[in-house]
Amino acid sequence: MTRMGFFTDTSVCIGCKACEVACKEWNQVPDDGFDLLGMSFDNTGALSANSWRHVAFIEQERAIVQDRPTGDFRWLMASDVCKHCTHAGCLDVCPTGALFRTEFGSVVVQQDICNGCGYCVSACPFGVIERRERDGGHGGGHGGGHGGEVYGGGRAQKCTLCYDRLRGGLEPACAKACPTDSIQFGQLDELRSRASARVEELHERGVPQARLYGASPEDGVGGAGAFFLLLDEPEVYGLPPDPVVPTRDLPAMWRYAGIAASALLAAAVSVFAGRAR
């Protein structure tokens, strides 16, 4: 089946957080506390086991757009989510098979198989996946969603690309709820073409900072299934500038380990053969 994904155009995000609410409501993700952070209007802070979508609010002083000052500051807003990487470190290291690649190309955690080991947490270069430390929250079967069984704390949690909705022919809840089409869902190849055209449009309109993040199949994760149009450097949005899946070099490492083991075995055999003489 054709790979599906997200294209998030941060240039039209208004920070309404409808995507966060829709994600929590559909997937029955528990709240992550209602305390204001005291840092900005962002009360979520980051992606977590209980926040599968996170809208960042970034205030920049003395911004210039289209070669004209816009005032003392501008807001950069962006809805972050699991990247559903082509080369997914979380998927590579899972010892129980709880993580699997769906027919839509997304990566999903099966809550009834996850043993809470946490290997996937350290294997994600984006810091997306996290274990839920407290009981509560629903995440039924393969894709979460309505009717899910309640699972206790300790299991890994992240966006499922609304796997249950996709199987029913529906788009993910966050994209459905986005009022500005900042979050666009569709076939990944088509989204990449649309995103490239949007970047060119913004450049022609005098926004040279516009760039794509996670769209290239040549990057350190083989391209993301959820990629972004940014208006500044990735670090400004809290994204790693050059993400690399930790397991990328595993084949070479095993190959070198095999060569070293073979050399050690050959040396041991020669030693014992010499003594036998």
Side-chain angles (χ1 to χ4, degrees):
M1 184 174 289
T2 304
R3 187 177 180 186
M4 311 297 286
F6 286 130
F7 163 46
T8 301
D9 182 351
T10 69
S11 70
V12 295
C13 178
I14 59 174
C16 67
K17 287 183 175 280
C19 54
E20 284 192 20
V21 175
C23 176
K24 281 184 175 290
E25 183 179 34
W26 179 263
N27 294 293
Q28 300 182 29
V29 178
D31 70 83
D32 211 6
F34 297 99
D35 299 328
L36 292 176
L37 301 178
M39 298 169 58
S40 74
F41 288 103
D42 172 16
N43 67 319
T44 308
L47 293 172
S48 71
N50 296 330
S51 293
W52 296 358
R53 270 277 179 189
H54 164 236
V55 179
F57 286 69
I58 301 144
E59 183 176 331
Q60 288 188 327
E61 297 181 357
R62 295 182 296 278
I64 296 177
V65 176
Q66 297 183 2
D67 298 325
R68 295 190 302 274
T70 61
D72 293 334
F73 65 89
R74 70 170 177 175
W75 285 107
L76 295 178
M77 300 173 184
S79 181
D80 198 9
V81 71
C82 171
K83 312 308 181 287
H84 295 280
C85 306
T86 300
H87 304 310
C90 59
L91 183 63
D92 291 340
V93 303
C94 180
T96 66
L99 283 119
F100 76 105
R101 177 100 44 197
T102 74
E103 64 268 33
F104 303 104
S106 56
V107 178
V108 172
V109 183
Q110 299 174 92
Q111 294 297 305
D112 52 345
I113 299 178
C114 176
N115 66 358
C117 68
Y119 292 168
C120 56
V121 176
S122 57
C124 175
F126 300 99
V128 166
I129 194 165
E130 187 178 84
R131 295 165 58 205
R132 181 172 292 152
E133 297 300 335
R134 61 186 177 88
D135 289 350
H138 295 62
H142 295 166
H146 291 337
E149 179 183 347
V150 178
Y151 292 102
R155 293 175 175 84
Q157 306 284 337
K158 73 174 192 67
C159 162
T160 68
L161 206 73
C162 281
Y163 182 43
D164 55 337
R165 289 177 64 89
L166 266 58
R167 295 179 71 186
L170 303 173
E171 67 178 323
C174 57
K176 182 70 174 178
C178 181
T180 64
D181 280 338
S182 172
I183 302 172
Q184 301 176 34
F185 171 77
Q187 297 183 10
L188 195 56
D189 290 340
E190 180 183 333
L191 290 177
R192 286 171 175 165
S193 297
R194 189 185 307 170
S196 296
R198 174 62 175 162
V199 169
E200 291 180 7
E201 177 188 350
L202 289 173
H203 287 174
E204 291 173 357
R205 290 170 54 184
V207 188
Q209 305 93 339
R211 72 202 66 192
L212 294 181
Y213 178 84
S216 173
E218 305 301 321
D219 65 17
V221 297
F227 64 98
F228 305 81
L229 186 154
L230 305 180
L231 297 179
D232 209 323
E233 299 289 342
E235 299 95 317
V236 172
Y237 296 84
L239 296 168
D242 187 21
V244 176
V245 61
T247 55
R248 180 185 63 175
D249 297 325
L250 274 181
M253 292 169 63
W254 281 115
R255 184 168 62 252
Y256 294 139
I259 294 172
S262 298
L264 182 61
L265 179 61
V269 169
S270 65
V271 168
F272 282 110
R275 288 180 179 177
R277 293 185 191 138

